[in-house]
Amino acid sequence: MATLYAKTAGGNWSAAGTWSNVNAGGGDSSGPPTAADNVIFELLSGNVTIDAAAACRSLDCASGTGSYTGTITHNAFTLSIGDGTAGAGNIALRFITGMVYAPNSARTIALISTSGTQQAIWGGGRTLANLTVNGAGSSYVLGEALIGNGASTLTVTSGTFDTGNQAVSCGSFAFSGTTTRTVTLGSSTITVLNVGPGASVLQATDATNLTFNVGTSTITSSGLGNSIWQLGTLTWNILEAKLITNTNTRFQGAATIGTLTITGGAAKTPEVSFAANLTVTGTLTITGNSATNRLMARSSVIGTVRTLTAATVTVDKVDFQDITGAGAGSWNLS
């Protein structure tokens, strides 16, 4: 185990000469980092490019002689963070305001520690793309908002991920699979951005070995392309699907939802379809855009009826096909 500093001259991550074992200004060339090394970018550190598959135990841009102000360019390679010991200060990743993180759209940061010590993730207001939590027995918590973009994915395949009640934005949020994993959403608002054609807003189809703590969270999506909500049989709190122009969305899984709001786009063709029966314990709201831009709510299979059960129902400017309304809410839509 070592602590390595990015040198003043910077360079490629894979080059030994980019790193020092003393501080950014001196010391022997000691790199590139391994999974057992804590990596520090400090005030004197130069620009570094992740030019190949890379690894470290932790990456911290707010230690050493002062906070980092340079640029980390992340090309189309995976940066794997973690080993069997928690990072220094129980920090896995800390970016900060004032630095630049320039990611290639195809790159991934994989959190793969197998330590059970909870480690923090600080995005520093930088826009991340693909973030994967995939360490057996690991535990991660957000220290501040996690910012992604429409192309980014947030994936939990193993270990524990806690949003820390922070806001999250990403292109897709997935935690399906069969490995042991825990997802805790607390009071977070999770915004799924710019969903591409046929993309999944949520992927939670398999609850095997999953502990899911939904809390009072809200998950909202404004899709630019047709999208899918793969809800599985889980219980959700607040879900909001906002369709744009002529986009469609589909809900899959016989889930239970506290509040479900679906809003149609400004076109004559948008539709929401249901691949299974859904239960809404609170308010179900389905609203079309206008009297002419109505929203179609239908079964995903023509001729196969889906049942929507809700305690309270609010519907306006919507047409239904193969849908049965049930529950305490009034389905008298006349």
Side-chain angles (χ1 to χ4, degrees):
M1 169 187 168
T3 297
L4 298 184
Y5 300 81
K7 285 187 174 181
T8 302
N12 286 331
W13 183 290
S14 65
T18 301
W19 307 97
S20 167
N21 59 4
V22 179
N23 56 46
D28 297 331
S29 296
S30 305
T34 70
D37 297 325
N38 295 306
V39 166
I40 291 178
F41 287 76
E42 58 181 357
L43 181 62
L44 298 176
S45 297
N47 300 333
V48 172
T49 297
I50 299 175
D51 61 316
C56 59
R57 174 176 290 169
S58 66
L59 193 164
D60 192 349
C61 296
S63 295
T65 59
S67 296
Y68 183 55
T69 59
T71 298
I72 297 176
T73 300
H74 192 166
N75 289 339
F77 303 98
T78 296
L79 170 61
S80 298
I81 299 177
D83 67 352
T85 302
N90 296 333
I91 294 171
L93 173 67
R94 180 158 61 179
F95 289 153
I96 57 170
T97 302
M99 65 171 285
V100 175
Y101 176 63
N104 178 290
S105 60
R107 58 75 185 109
T108 296
I109 297 176
L111 303 175
I112 61 170
S113 175
T114 55
S115 168
T117 300
Q118 188 178 71
Q119 299 177 70
I121 305 165
W122 300 81
R126 307 306 89 191
T127 299
L128 307 181
N130 302 326
L131 182 68
T132 300
V133 176
N134 187 27
S138 64
S139 179
Y140 295 98
V141 63
L142 295 182
E144 60 188 348
L146 180 67
I147 301 173
N149 57 30
S152 67
T153 61
L154 172 58
T155 306
V156 181
T157 59
S158 186
T160 295
F161 176 73
D162 189 333
T163 62
N165 303 317
Q166 302 291 334
V168 174
S169 59
C170 56
S172 181
F173 184 22
F175 47 93
S176 291
T178 59
T179 55
T180 301
R181 63 213 185 281
T182 298
V183 175
T184 298
L185 302 185
S187 59
S188 292
T189 294
I190 299 171
T191 303
V192 182
L193 305 163
N194 303 332
V195 176
S200 293
V201 176
L202 293 170
Q203 296 181 48
T205 54
D206 195 335
T208 304
N209 296 319
L210 170 68
T211 299
F212 182 51
N213 303 308
V214 70
T216 58
S217 61
T218 297
I219 300 177
T220 182
S221 175
S222 297
L224 295 182
N226 299 335
S227 59
I228 302 171
W229 297 66
Q230 298 180 5
L231 304 178
T233 57
L234 299 177
T235 296
W236 305 84
N237 188 46
I238 299 174
L239 302 183
E240 300 175 348
K242 303 173 184 178
L243 307 186
I244 296 176
T245 60
N246 63 343
T247 59
N248 304 323
T249 195
R250 174 175 295 181
F251 288 86
Q252 296 184 175
T256 299
I257 306 166
T259 300
L260 176 60
T261 302
I262 303 169
T263 306
K268 294 180 173 61
T269 57
E271 63 178 37
V272 54
S273 61
F274 302 90
N277 301 332
L278 284 183
T279 298
V280 180
T281 58
T283 300
L284 170 63
T285 301
I286 309 178
T287 307
N289 176 262
S290 67
T292 54
N293 294 327
R294 298 175 65 84
L295 177 64
M296 168 64 77
R298 66 174 183 84
S299 167
S300 61
V301 178
I302 295 176
T304 299
V305 174
R306 311 296 187 196
T307 299
L308 304 181
T309 302
T312 303
V313 177
T314 300
V315 173
D316 189 27
K317 306 178 186 70
V318 181
D319 298 316
F320 291 87
Q321 181 180 16
D322 295 325
I323 297 294
T324 294
S330 173
W331 285 91
N332 182 355
L333 308 180
S334 59

